[in-house]
Amino acid sequence: MPAFAYRGREAGGALVQGVLEGNTAAAVADALSGTGVTPLEIRPAPAAPAGSKSSSGTSVAWFADKVGHVDILLFTRQLHTLLKAGVPIMRALAGLQDSSQNGAMKSLLGEVRQSLESGHELSASLSRHPKAFSNFYLAMVRIGEMTGRLEEIFLRLFDHMEFERFMREQVKAALRYPSFVIAAMAVALVVVNIWVIPTFAKVFQGFNAELPVLTRVLIGFSEFSVAWWHVILGALVMAALAFRAWLGTPGGRYAWDKWKLEIPIAGKIVRKATLARFARSFALALRSGVPLMQALNTVGQTVDNAFVADKVEQMRNGVERGESILRAAIGTGVFTPVVLQMIAVGEESGTIDEMMEEIAGMYQSEVEYELKTLSQQIEPVLIVLLGILVLVLALGIFLPIWDLGKVAIKK
């Protein structure tokens, strides 16, 4: 939607100016008149200069403030507190804007206030910032506006976002240790391949002896790496860019998200964390009065996994065809028998939201337990990998050294 810069006067005669979004200048004039401002001048807002993205502009883009998950989390909690205390929404947003230490968040709140002043609803005003507010967040705010329980919705959203942040941090913590070990092994291979093996190769050449096959392979790969390191580096960069572009496609994202759930040891943690987010989101939507079909449609967008989102969509289609929630959940193939039993009980007793909350808590407890025992599960695998690496290097480098004495005697 285009932006227009305006100048006008308030009812008291004070001169005001700013930027407002609208389809046309006439629409902006109508919006200003609705807020008691008499427009004097309305013109298209100037676009950012082309050079702003180069040189110093690039550094500004890199280091500029951004609206993060924590900013939205604090905004949600603070807005709940203010609304519960009876503070009007416009006054609450103004206070949050003044107290915000994040420039991007301050600007966002200012735009939301301008949109509200133009007569838009809060959900519509927040929807203009899709990078900050998810579809699930907007759907819940819309339900709060319809039911008149906006402050309660913000409290539930805060609890939900806090839960999501906890699960993401737990999963990252689970993957940090193996990632660090694998990276350390890769660095060690590079150092050995570029500096250590060439040194031993010069020693072996001085004896003119026939080297073992494994040693010749290591030396040949080392010589190739030293001579063509720039090609290897370029190939790795191109592979990383190609992988990133592949992830940007629907098929690539689906395949990658499905593979993540099947990674040995770590895959089951990612699966349980993803299903915990789904169950918590589903319970929150149902408790807030969202219809079942709309809840399934909206919750599928919150799991942050294309494969699981497709299964939720499959579940929604099953319910739409007249199947029970239990039968539709069985058809997805992602829920454990215990979870399916809890869904059956919740559907029969009419407490599916409570059962989903229990499922989320159960998955969360399992994730915490898996994380506590992760080091015990992954240490044997890492030890085997390190053992194979040491064995290959020992046989390839030190085995010829053991035969140098025989070679020297023959000479």
Side-chain angles (χ1 to χ4, degrees):
M1 186 176 295
F4 293 87
Y6 67 86
R7 290 193 308 112
R9 291 191 182 276
E10 296 179 340
L15 184 65
V16 294
Q17 60 182 0
V19 178
L20 193 63
E21 293 182 348
N23 293 323
T24 62
V28 173
D30 292 339
L32 291 173
S33 299
T35 59
V37 176
T38 302
L40 300 177
E41 180 185 6
I42 298 177
R43 66 181 187 279
S52 61
K53 293 185 179 181
S54 60
S55 63
S56 62
T58 302
S59 63
V60 172
W62 284 354
F63 298 103
D65 292 335
K66 296 182 180 180
V67 179
H69 183 83
V70 176
D71 297 311
I72 303 300
L73 184 68
L74 294 176
F75 162 77
T76 304
R77 179 64 180 183
Q78 293 169 347
L79 192 56
H80 157 73
T81 303
L82 293 173
L83 293 179
K84 184 178 180 181
V87 180
I89 182 67
M90 293 299 299
R91 182 178 167 189
L93 291 174
L96 293 178
Q97 181 182 6
D98 294 338
S99 61
S100 177
Q101 302 297 320
N102 187 321
M105 191 66 187
K106 187 185 293 289
S107 176
L108 184 149
L109 292 177
E111 295 177 8
V112 171
R113 288 180 58 200
Q114 287 185 358
S115 180
L116 288 174
E117 291 174 351
S118 302
H120 296 94
E121 295 180 342
L122 179 60
S123 57
S125 302
L126 297 179
S127 66
R128 297 185 176 184
H129 307 277
K131 293 184 179 180
F133 302 99
S134 64
N135 292 332
F136 180 76
Y137 192 103
L138 298 174
M140 295 303 300
V141 173
R142 195 172 298 114
I143 293 297
E145 292 173 334
M146 294 170 57
T147 59
R149 299 185 300 174
L150 200 56
E151 67 280 357
E152 180 182 348
I153 291 296
F154 277 115
L155 178 60
R156 292 182 179 180
L157 281 173
F158 170 79
D159 294 335
H160 174 72
M161 294 179 67
E162 183 69 22
F163 169 78
E164 281 193 329
R165 186 180 70 161
F166 170 78
M167 296 303 295
R168 287 196 182 98
E169 290 178 351
Q170 293 296 311
V171 172
K172 288 180 180 179
L175 301 178
R176 186 176 298 122
Y177 175 67
S179 300
F180 175 79
V181 173
I182 293 175
M185 291 174 60
V187 172
L189 283 175
V190 171
V191 172
V192 170
N193 202 40
I194 294 180
W195 285 285
V196 177
I197 294 180
T199 302
F200 281 97
K202 294 178 181 179
V203 176
F204 297 153
Q205 290 176 359
F207 289 91
N208 296 321
E210 184 178 357
L211 300 175
V213 176
L214 184 58
T215 304
R216 294 199 300 268
V217 171
L218 289 178
I219 293 176
F221 184 73
S222 175
E223 292 176 349
F224 174 80
S225 301
V226 172
W228 299 94
W229 64 269
H230 52 286
V231 176
I232 297 176
L233 182 61
L236 291 176
V237 173
M238 292 298 296
L241 294 177
F243 177 73
R244 185 175 181 180
W246 178 68
L247 286 182
T249 63
R253 176 68 185 275
Y254 181 91
W256 171 249
D257 286 343
K258 181 180 179 181
W259 182 80
K260 284 194 302 185
L261 304 180
E262 300 173 355
I263 300 176
I265 301 177
K268 59 183 178 181
I269 299 178
V270 177
R271 177 185 292 269
K272 291 176 181 179
T274 302
L275 293 179
R277 286 200 298 269
F278 159 75
R280 182 64 62 88
S281 302
F282 194 28
L284 174 59
L286 293 178
R287 284 184 175 180
S288 302
V290 180
L292 177 61
M293 301 304 299
Q294 182 181 351
L296 286 172
N297 188 43
T298 305
V299 167
Q301 304 173 6
T302 69
V303 295
D304 195 25
N305 187 290
F307 175 75
V308 177
D310 180 72
K311 294 299 181 181
V312 174
E313 179 68 16
Q314 177 182 335
M315 184 175 173
R316 186 191 70 83
N317 293 335
V319 175
E320 192 174 23
R321 291 192 301 265
E323 297 180 359
S324 64
I325 300 178
L326 175 62
R327 183 173 296 275
I330 293 175
T332 62
V334 296
F335 295 101
T336 62
V338 176
V339 173
L340 294 175
Q341 184 178 0
M342 296 179 69
I343 292 177
V345 173
E347 189 173 17
E348 184 176 353
S349 61
T351 57
I352 190 68
D353 56 337
E354 296 181 7
M355 290 297 102
M356 282 293 171
E357 192 71 29
E358 291 291 332
I359 292 172
M362 183 181 68
Y363 274 135
Q364 181 177 350
S365 299
E366 291 184 4
V367 169
E368 293 178 358
Y369 174 77
E370 294 286 351
L371 292 175
K372 291 179 181 178
T373 60
L374 178 64
S375 59
Q376 301 175 5
Q377 300 178 51
I378 206 169
E379 278 180 1
V381 178
L382 295 178
I383 290 175
V384 170
L385 293 177
L386 289 173
I388 294 175
L389 176 62
V390 172
L391 179 63
V392 170
L393 294 177
L395 293 178
I397 297 177
F398 297 108
L399 185 59
I401 296 179
W402 296 335
D403 296 333
L404 290 181
K406 298 178 181 179
V407 175
I409 293 175
K410 290 181 180 180
K411 284 189 174 184

